[in-house]
Amino acid sequence: MTQQSVTMADVAKAAGVSRTTVSFVLNGRMEANIPEATRERINQTARMLGYRPNAAARTLASKRSAWFGLVTEIATSPFATDVIKGAQRSAWKDGNFLLIAPSDDDPGMEMLAVEKLLEQQVGGLIIATTWHREIIVPENAKSVPCVLVNCFDAEGEFPSIVPDEVAGGYAAAEILARAGHTNIGHITVAQGIPAQIGRQTGMKQALRDHGLSQEESKIVAGDGTADSGYHGTQELLAQPDPPTAIFCGNDRIAMGAYDAIKELGLRVGEDISIVGFDDQEILAPHMRPKLTTIALPFEEMGMAGVSLLNQMVEGSPIENRQITIGCPPRIRSSVAMHGQR
Amino acid sequence: MTQQSVTMADVAKAAGVSRTTVSFVLNGRMEANIPEATRERINQTARMLGYRPNAAARTLASKRSAWFGLVTEIATSPFATDVIKGAQRSAWKDGNFLLIAPSDDDPGMEMLAVEKLLEQQVGGLIIATTWHREIIVPENAKSVPCVLVNCFDAEGEFPSIVPDEVAGGYAAAEILARAGHTNIGHITVAQGIPAQIGRQTGMKQALRDHGLSQEESKIVAGDGTADSGYHGTQELLAQPDPPTAIFCGNDRIAMGAYDAIKELGLRVGEDISIVGFDDQEILAPHMRPKLTTIALPFEEMGMAGVSLLNQMVEGSPIENRQITIGCPPRIRSSVAMHGQR
DNA sequence: GCGCGTTACTGAATCGTGTTAGCAAATCTG
DNA sequence: CAGATTTGCTAACACGATTCAGTAACGCGC
């Protein structure tokens, strides 16, 4: 109500030209060579009248919308924020919008979300998960360009963007090896997920490359919780030849590890070195000592997702369908030099 | 491209009726009394043909869109997620969408964000901040119903939804008082913000109501960081008559407090009781012992924002323009009984 | 003064839906 | 059985843009 809404026709009348001309000018169509004087006049009157384009009309007429859809499990994790942030920023730069729809990790819900987004005429779709895993992409998602972020489909049919877990695990172990540690423990996240497999694989490779061996007993299975970090650390430190450093599968595990270490009267970053994974913004930099960890590049993944989508929408050929994004180390204070170098 | 897009006209032709009839049936216009048989036939063919309504056309024709705009500082804080989550859920229920635009705490950016959202024909606007404070609402936000979440304008011109800081502070202090503590410390968040003022006010009231007094020295000014919690706690515990319980202005402060307490060889939840504020999902339940704290009702605020917006869009009278939402206590394990009851 | 190319525009169709006004047939009313 | 009402549907315009196909005016060479 009270929608006075100035239209192009109003601007055209006020400027004494046709709708078409106004459209050309406001969209910067230079090939319709409208002289500078007219352009200026039209822009002036548009501004004076407070003209605001109607996106719905534009979408309808041009059959191209300014929206991408993002389907994600906002319900569960704060991680989603960063993906949204990155995607949002990247889309915004090109004048695009993000329509966010919840999937809640329920296939039915997810299909509905996609359906609703398609009704909104989204030009492309991003499906993002909060933890790196394989998913089944809803059938209807195929009616429009679609990119997977932090997940992948079994057939590799969709382009996907995932963190480089292996390189991340490698970096984590290398930090400890470079600091002179030779007896390194590891507490894993939940068994069988890409994060666990990748990080552990990377760690083993790094240790080999640095000429270090690691007994099986130095790898304890956790489940990603702080509790599992606490108990895992107790288990490691109770061994006859306890490790001097622990690579924790994620930051929450590291949090539990801190507690266990302190309870034993030892000092994190002096007696025992710790490296985490994830770089949780409200955790890692606030721990005492501040946690050295490997960051999950959620924001970059979101940005990459949108730019990949842009390419697909424009019909550019996609060279790389499976993109991995590096996990940068965040060096803080939980790792100490050990022994002679 | 390859937009086969089945339209209403296609459905109409296939069903042997006019487009108008299809529109009536699909929109459930009962007053146009179409007999059950015809309705069924149209629904069938629509489903068979895979008809998907075009939201842009609908928005254009009906002059009412199915989406609300949410302007927020996604850039800075994980808190935003919960507001988005609540708003999203609430909107989704009514078939509405949320368009998210970043404000990045920059007035120019914010105006642009609002402008862009208005171009998208949003039916209403939510402006949300990550921390409770006063804001200046951009002028153009007035062209559509607008609700403030977690913030407010100086003139009270806009309906706003904020957490009940005072009641939260009251609850926090009461938990400690009820546990038998009589010597209670407090470490504040940044000076002068509503969170600091409200929580402190609530605390003082609770202590008065429980017949307790509190020396000025037992309130130390922090800045919301874990570091300030660490040093604040050291300061409090170094006093000649140290408190047996500390109400920390937020969970990060509590995190620092834990570290300081443990370093002194004391036990949290046994020797010293702690209550936090915010209930940060990835922090509070994972601390050791698990932190008793007061939750900030972000999700509820988001939901309340959307439903208030719905009322406004429908033209219902708004009875309450300044809504405060309660901050529920989350009782965990960081508070112990003290002394005789 | 004719043909041709450029410049600076305009008219009209189109996008897919909502919505009002109205019409023919069927049914009811008295 | 005439007139009024209801039932079941349709024609046509509107919404606010984009875009294609012109076209009138002008300059220019010959």
Side-chain angles (χ1 to χ4, degrees), chain A residues 81 88 120 227 280 282 288, chain B residues 67 81 227 280 282 288:
Chain A
T81 329
Q88 175 65 69
Q120 310 302 314
D227 267 1
Q280 296 226 28
I282 46 176
R288 181 167 294 268
Chain B
W67 40 63
T81 328
D227 267 2
Q280 295 228 25
I282 46 176
R288 182 164 293 268

Side-chain angles (χ1 to χ4, degrees), chain A residues 281-293:
Chain A
E281 173 180 352
I282 46 176
L283 211 61
H286 300 287
M287 287 165 68
R288 181 167 294 268
K290 301 187 196 309
L291 180 66
T292 290
T293 189

Side-chain angles (χ1 to χ4, degrees), chain A residues 27-317:
Chain A
N27 290 330
R29 272 273 210 290
M30 294 314 275
E31 69 268 29
N33 44 21
I34 312 287
E36 179 59 29
T38 313
R39 292 224 307 282
E40 185 54 33
R41 180 158 44 97
I42 292 177
N43 280 321
Q44 284 277 353
T45 50
R47 217 172 305 127
M48 268 182 40
L49 265 51
Y51 170 70
R52 178 148 48 211
N54 181 322
R58 187 199 305 257
T59 299
L60 181 58
S62 67
K63 315 185 88 168
R64 303 179 305 113
S65 86
W67 305 303
F68 288 145
L70 174 60
V71 182
T72 185
E73 317 142 312
I74 343 183
T76 42
S77 157
F79 285 131
T81 329
D82 290 319
V83 173
I84 296 178
K85 192 200 307 181
Q88 175 65 69
R89 288 239 174 126
S90 181
W92 184 263
K93 278 206 315 277
D94 303 329
N96 282 117
F97 271 85
L98 231 47
L99 282 172
I100 313 228
S103 73
D104 290 350
D105 205 1
D106 162 6
M109 187 69 178
E110 194 169 28
M111 254 194 79
L112 185 65
V114 170
E115 195 61 26
K116 283 288 179 189
L117 288 173
L118 290 175
E119 283 183 13
Q120 310 302 314
Q121 312 301 110
V122 294
L125 225 41
I126 294 180
I127 298 185
T129 52
T130 50
W131 55 278
H132 184 180
R133 67 179 196 270
E134 181 183 320
I135 62 164
I136 294 168
V137 178
E139 195 59 29
N140 52 359
K142 290 175 185 165
S143 34
V144 100
C146 177
V147 170
L148 308 184
V149 167
N150 206 30
C151 52
F152 54 92
D153 60 317
E155 296 81 19
E157 185 182 349
F158 294 87
S160 86
I161 296 170
V162 295
D164 193 339
E165 309 274 9
V166 177
Y170 192 100
E174 191 164 49
I175 287 169
L176 295 174
R178 287 233 173 106
H181 293 276
T182 54
N183 187 350
I184 296 172
H186 178 46
I187 303 172
T188 74
V189 292
Q191 293 300 303
I193 63 176
Q196 182 259 317
I197 297 169
R199 292 170 196 180
Q200 185 165 325
T201 303
M203 171 189 70
K204 287 186 168 169
Q205 186 60 47
L207 295 183
R208 261 196 305 277
D209 289 356
H210 283 264
L212 300 175
S213 65
Q214 186 182 42
E215 300 159 40
E216 270 311 305
S217 66
K218 293 293 180 286
I219 301 181
V220 342
D223 59 7
T225 63
D227 267 1
S228 76
Y230 180 77
H231 294 116
T233 302
Q234 288 184 325
E235 184 181 331
L236 284 171
L237 297 185
Q239 293 182 11
D241 179 27
T244 59
I246 303 175
F247 166 31
C248 296
N250 70 22
D251 290 353
R252 284 219 308 263
I253 292 176
M255 196 173 161
Y258 270 44
D259 285 326
I261 291 167
K262 290 175 181 175
E263 271 185 23
L264 288 170
L266 300 171
R267 307 194 73 99
V268 177
E270 296 180 24
D271 305 310
I272 309 282
S273 291
I274 297 283
V275 173
F277 210 110
D278 289 358
D279 193 29
Q280 296 226 28
E281 173 180 352
I282 46 176
L283 211 61
H286 300 287
M287 287 165 68
R288 181 167 294 268
K290 301 187 196 309
L291 180 66
T292 290
T293 189
I294 311 293
L296 276 177
F298 284 109
E299 195 170 340
E300 287 78 5
M301 293 197 294
M303 294 182 60
V306 169
S307 56
L308 192 56
L309 214 45
N310 266 321
Q311 284 177 43
M312 293 172 69
V313 169
E314 284 164 13
S316 313

Side-chain angles (χ1 to χ4, degrees), chain B residues 131-208:
Chain B
W131 55 278
H132 185 180
R133 66 181 196 270
E134 181 182 323
I135 62 164
I136 294 168
V137 179
E139 196 60 28
N140 52 359
K142 290 176 187 167
S143 33
V144 101
C146 178
V147 170
L148 309 183
V149 167
N150 207 27
C151 52
F152 55 93
D153 61 316
E155 296 82 18
E157 184 180 352
F158 294 87
S160 85
I161 296 170
V162 295
D164 192 340
E165 308 276 10
V166 176
Y170 192 100
E174 190 163 51
I175 287 169
L176 296 173
R178 287 233 172 108
H181 293 275
T182 53
N183 186 350
I184 296 172
H186 179 46
I187 303 171
T188 73
V189 293
Q191 292 301 302
I193 64 176
Q196 182 259 315
I197 297 170
R199 293 169 196 181
Q200 185 164 324
T201 303
M203 172 189 70
K204 287 188 168 167
Q205 186 61 46
L207 295 182
R208 258 196 308 277

